[in-house]
Amino acid sequence: MTAPALLPLSGRRIPPLNLGPPSFPHHRATLRLSEKFILLLILSAFITLCFGAFFFLPDSSKHKRFDLGLEDVLIPHVDAGKGAKDTGVFLIHGPDEHRHREEEERLRNKIRADHEKALEEAKEKLRKSREEIRAEIQTEKSKVAQAMKIKETRVLPPVPVPQRVGVTGGDPEDTEIRKKREKIKEMMKHAWDNYRTYGWGHNELRPIARKGHSTNIFGSSQMGATIVDALDTLYIMGLHDEFMDGQRWIEDNLDFSVNSEVSVFEVNIRFIGGLLAAYYLSGEEIFKTKAVQLAEKLLPAFNTPTGIPWAMVNLKSGVGRNWGWASAGSSILAEFGTLHMEFVHLSYLTGDLTYYKKVMHIRKLLQKMERPNGLYPNYLNPRTGRWGQYHTSVGGLGDSFYEYLLKAWLMSDKTDHEARRMYDDAVEAIEKHLIKKSRGGLVFIGEWKNGHLERKMGHLACFAGGMFALGADGSRKDKAGHYLELGAEIARTCHESYDRTALKLGPESFKFDGAVEAVAVRQAEKYYILRPEVIETYWYLWRFTHDPRYRQWGWEAALAIEKYCRVSGGFSGVKDVYSLTPTHDDVQQSFFLAETLKYLYLLFSGDDLLPLDHWVFNTEAHPLPVLRLANTTLSGNPAVR
């Protein structure tokens, strides 16, 4: 019996440790209605319409009068031009009883006429042969398919593409550094070639079993998550043949009209982010077109009472829902708060403000809400607009929300002052309530849970060292030096979490409790699934300080990954970083190619490769260009203006 696929436990990187193959097959058989069953549905709909209507005919005896001063009577408002539908209410004044009766009689006659027409249509359907009904059904299906095709192939308006600065190059002058960069490139090629051989088209790879792999975040379809996620890494490494293989697969096979329920967050950061980055780097229009097609499939997730999107949406039906474990049906802060970068670029490229309005609505709603101790809880109910469980974390469930506040400001060429203000407010609250120093002098970020601070830090939270460094310039009260130092302290703590293991790879989370510091205690927290956050922070600190320790620490991590995670069929996570005889989880995560190897490659490259004053990396390490606009809400696209 196979172990069930685990639900996501984090905001930025899903899923955690996989103990076995997923409990669902890669392909779920699609149920198709026979023509006979469709006919029965049509007839039942007509019968329901005809007979059910009699229960809703107005009955003047049931209309109650209310003393509103003029003996006003409340009755349904029917628009004669739109049929018998309640579209609101209007008031009939009591003294004009004759006009009231005439209106009521007109309403009855209109409903009777509509239902008689429906009965005639039903009788006409019954007179037709099965072949005629089948032909009608096929005609309607063709019309729908044609409409979808027209929508998918619509020509996007021309927009000025931001200058492509530093998309290749970065060759280091130092021979040793150049050799290290070449080694990272070789690791990327090993990961990609084995995926190409054993998992092509599947979402991810099982490098030991040498077959495709997927998790519930991608639904039940083969959407080539690794291909889309890895494209920009291949491009900046100069692996152009591999890049072209991925481009051809996307052109021929990437289809979003599938009956598959996916994570809105993961599909946004991996697929839309990956496609947009590939477009901006290469200039190939297919990537932009596919990104827009997919984005349209995600929009139904926002159809909630508050506009806070569901965590999951079916790409075909548009039906959304939340994770069952998420605080009584709540949406997750890191998921609905990590859409801004991609959606603003979608509005810029399409001239359609819908995407921009969706994410700005979320921001406005959050600004109005009270926050305990100035902290954002990780759960928000999309039906009620109220916070769920008061749990705050800069790691899983919360992390990339804060990251995107800062990066919205950076991406707008530092003109989105509202985003910067929200970021500064949040960081001040985090520093006051969550950031502590251990007895041994290690600075860590705890989690606020059940009314107290839990002295535990997750691997996911290690990205914050890079975030503090990235946000240092422009911080309040001339505290740039303070936040750069804080980022360095977080980097040191996360390096210790690696250095105190047998494999020199960091655990999923680690404690600061008494004599235990930067060490995982529970067995379920001792795994490493090729995560990038620590290396991400090393790279940002290297860019801002050029302190050689960050390249040294990054190389230590690269050697450990090469020694303990590399297998003949790719790279695999390990289940216990404290054991010198590690057991592999047999999953090569797509983010290993998108992030871990990309950040290592950048760490050993010159600063002229993807310079930070021209590019902003989304939370999946996909670079998007800075939009140098006077107003970040508008673009050079006349349609947006």
Side-chain angles (χ1 to χ4, degrees):
M1 185 173 180
T2 60
L6 297 181
L7 290 173
L9 298 176
S10 64
R12 304 175 92 236
R13 314 286 175 243
I14 299 171
L17 178 63
N18 291 275
L19 301 178
S23 57
F24 299 102
H26 291 291
H27 300 284
R28 185 178 298 160
T30 302
L31 299 177
R32 297 184 178 178
L33 298 176
S34 67
E35 287 83 354
K36 183 176 180 180
F37 187 53
I38 293 175
L39 174 60
L40 291 174
L41 286 176
I42 294 172
L43 293 178
S44 65
F46 278 121
I47 293 170
T48 301
L49 174 66
C50 298
F51 286 96
F54 291 106
F55 293 98
F56 297 98
L57 287 173
D59 184 350
S60 60
S61 66
K62 293 182 180 179
H63 287 303
K64 296 183 179 180
R65 294 179 182 273
F66 298 92
D67 186 7
L68 300 178
L70 294 174
E71 295 181 73
D72 296 321
V73 180
L74 195 65
I75 69 171
H77 175 199
V78 178
D79 187 338
K82 296 182 180 178
K85 295 182 181 179
D86 288 351
T87 59
V89 296
F90 64 89
L91 297 175
I92 296 296
H93 297 297
D96 197 351
E97 293 294 341
H98 179 68
R99 184 163 65 86
H100 176 205
R101 292 194 191 95
E102 285 185 346
E103 183 66 26
E104 198 171 63
E105 185 62 28
R106 186 193 65 77
L107 176 63
R108 289 176 181 275
N109 291 338
K110 179 68 173 65
I111 293 175
R112 287 195 185 96
D114 287 345
H115 294 148
E116 286 174 5
K117 181 180 178 181
L119 282 170
E120 287 301 318
E121 290 177 354
K123 291 176 182 178
E124 186 179 346
K125 292 287 183 186
L126 289 171
R127 295 190 193 103
K128 292 183 178 181
S129 66
R130 179 172 180 170
E131 288 71 20
E132 289 175 314
I133 293 173
R134 185 184 293 116
E136 286 187 2
I137 292 172
Q138 188 58 45
T139 299
E140 290 302 316
K141 287 170 65 178
S142 298
K143 287 180 180 178
V144 172
Q146 184 64 22
M148 291 177 65
K149 186 175 181 181
I150 292 173
K151 189 174 183 180
E152 289 181 352
T153 57
R154 67 187 176 97
V155 178
L156 297 174
V159 296
V161 179
Q163 188 179 3
R164 298 168 63 242
V165 177
V167 299
T168 57
D171 298 322
E173 295 180 1
D174 185 279
T175 303
E176 288 302 312
I177 298 300
R178 191 181 305 118
K179 288 180 180 178
K180 290 175 180 177
R181 190 171 87 143
E182 284 301 310
K183 177 57 184 177
I184 304 303
K185 182 176 178 178
E186 186 277 329
M187 292 169 69
M188 178 67 183
K189 189 160 172 50
H190 179 70
W192 174 265
D193 287 348
N194 279 283
Y195 169 78
R196 181 74 175 82
T197 301
Y198 303 114
W200 192 240
H202 288 267
N203 289 314
E204 292 175 321
L205 169 69
R206 288 196 175 279
I208 297 174
R210 299 191 177 189
K211 63 180 182 179
H213 167 73
S214 192
T215 59
N216 56 356
I217 61 173
F218 300 119
S220 56
S221 298
Q222 292 186 27
M223 293 175 62
T226 294
I227 298 174
V228 180
D229 230 2
L231 277 174
D232 53 1
T233 307
L234 294 169
Y235 192 90
I236 68 171
M237 288 185 177
L239 295 170
H240 296 303
D241 290 341
E242 291 80 358
F243 179 87
M244 288 303 301
D245 282 345
Q247 180 177 333
R248 281 189 289 270
W249 186 90
I250 287 172
E251 289 174 340
D252 299 338
N253 300 286
L254 188 54
D255 179 19
F256 303 121
S257 59
V258 291
N259 184 21
S260 192
E261 187 182 51
V262 301
S263 163
V264 174
F265 161 76
E266 294 286 357
V267 164
N268 176 63
I269 66 171
R270 301 195 200 204
F271 282 82
I272 294 180
L275 290 166
L276 290 176
Y279 164 69
Y280 282 121
L281 291 173
S282 70
E284 295 291 338
E285 291 285 324
I286 183 63
F287 300 127
K288 177 173 68 173
T289 301
K290 290 289 185 179
V292 174
Q293 289 175 8
L294 177 55
E296 289 177 349
K297 297 286 187 179
L298 297 186
L299 287 179
F302 292 82
N303 294 335
T304 66
T306 61
I308 297 295
W310 300 113
M312 308 201 60
V313 68
N314 186 294
L315 293 177
K316 189 169 188 178
S317 69
V319 174
R321 69 176 178 92
N322 275 342
W323 302 106
W325 49 265
S327 187
S330 290
S331 297
I332 297 168
L333 181 68
E335 295 192 344
F336 66 76
T338 310
L339 302 166
H340 187 96
M341 290 181 65
E342 297 82 3
F343 275 45
V344 167
H345 271 278
L346 287 167
S347 282
Y348 176 78
L349 292 172
T350 64
D352 186 350
L353 280 176
T354 299
Y355 305 103
Y356 170 79
K357 289 177 179 178
K358 295 293 185 187
V359 291
M360 289 306 295
H361 174 79
I362 294 172
R363 182 191 290 185
K364 297 300 183 186
L365 187 148
L366 290 175
Q367 283 183 311
K368 294 177 182 177
M369 298 185 67
E370 292 187 8
R371 298 185 297 278
N373 294 324
L375 299 169
Y376 289 88
N378 289 336
Y379 300 106
L380 180 61
N381 191 301
R383 297 185 185 275
T384 66
R386 296 190 181 95
W387 297 119
Q389 176 187 1
Y390 278 8
H391 173 210
T392 296
S393 169
V394 183
L397 306 177
D399 46 14
S400 48
F401 164 72
Y402 307 101
E403 175 187 0
Y404 268 39
L405 290 176
L406 172 63
K407 290 182 176 179
W409 175 69
L410 292 169
M411 195 179 73
S412 71
D413 198 20
K414 302 181 180 179
T415 61
D416 188 350
H417 302 297
E418 181 180 71
R420 178 73 209 210
R421 183 170 60 253
M422 291 177 70
Y423 170 77
D424 287 334
D425 289 343
V427 167
E428 287 177 3
I430 288 167
E431 190 169 11
K432 181 177 180 180
H433 297 287
L434 302 184
I435 296 181
K436 304 295 178 183
K437 182 175 285 190
S438 71
R439 293 179 182 177
L442 295 178
V443 175
F444 67 95
I445 309 174
E447 297 185 12
W448 190 260
K449 198 171 186 179
N450 300 323
H452 73 279
L453 182 73
E454 189 171 6
R455 298 173 67 85
K456 179 180 75 172
M457 184 173 177
H459 192 291
L460 290 162
C462 285
F463 92 99
M467 180 180 73
F468 292 142
L470 185 62
D473 185 26
S475 56
R476 291 173 180 166
K477 302 175 183 178
D478 296 324
K479 297 179 70 174
H482 166 74
Y483 284 112
L484 193 60
E485 183 179 349
L486 178 59
E489 289 291 339
I490 296 298
R492 185 169 77 93
T493 297
C494 293
H495 174 257
E496 286 298 317
S497 77
Y498 273 52
D499 202 46
R500 298 180 185 191
T501 69
L503 305 186
K504 304 304 178 184
L505 292 170
E508 181 68 5
S509 63
F510 39 95
K511 295 270 191 175
F512 296 87
D513 191 6
V516 176
E517 294 198 359
V519 174
V521 176
R522 298 172 54 205
Q523 186 62 41
E525 297 173 340
K526 295 180 178 181
Y527 60 88
Y528 172 72
I529 56 171
L530 307 172
R531 288 202 188 274
E533 291 76 25
V534 174
I535 297 166
E536 175 184 354
T537 278
Y538 293 164
W539 174 61
Y540 278 113
L541 266 296
W542 163 257
R543 276 284 176 103
F544 289 113
T545 69
H546 283 189
D547 187 328
R549 81 175 73 181
Y550 299 115
R551 279 184 165 172
Q552 176 190 337
W553 291 350
W555 186 241
E556 289 173 3
L559 291 177
I561 292 170
E562 173 76 3
K563 183 174 182 179
Y564 296 109
C565 299
R566 182 167 182 152
V567 295
S568 60
F571 288 87
S572 168
V574 293
K575 296 182 180 180
D576 188 348
V577 294
Y578 298 96
S579 170
L580 280 172
T581 55
T583 303
H584 293 103
D585 66 8
D586 196 18
V587 178
Q588 180 175 281
Q589 307 280 352
S590 79
F591 56 68
F592 177 65
L593 291 82
E595 301 183 77
T596 310
L597 293 175
K598 182 187 285 131
Y599 283 130
L600 280 169
Y601 187 79
L602 290 170
L603 181 61
F604 299 108
S605 297
D607 294 358
D608 58 324
L609 180 60
L610 299 173
L612 291 175
D613 55 343
H614 287 272
W615 299 91
V616 183
F617 289 73
N618 87 337
T619 197
E620 190 77 359
H622 296 308
L624 301 177
V626 170
L627 297 176
R628 302 187 183 282
L629 309 167
N631 185 341
T632 188
T633 68
L634 303 177
S635 77
N637 183 345
V640 176
R641 287 180 177 173

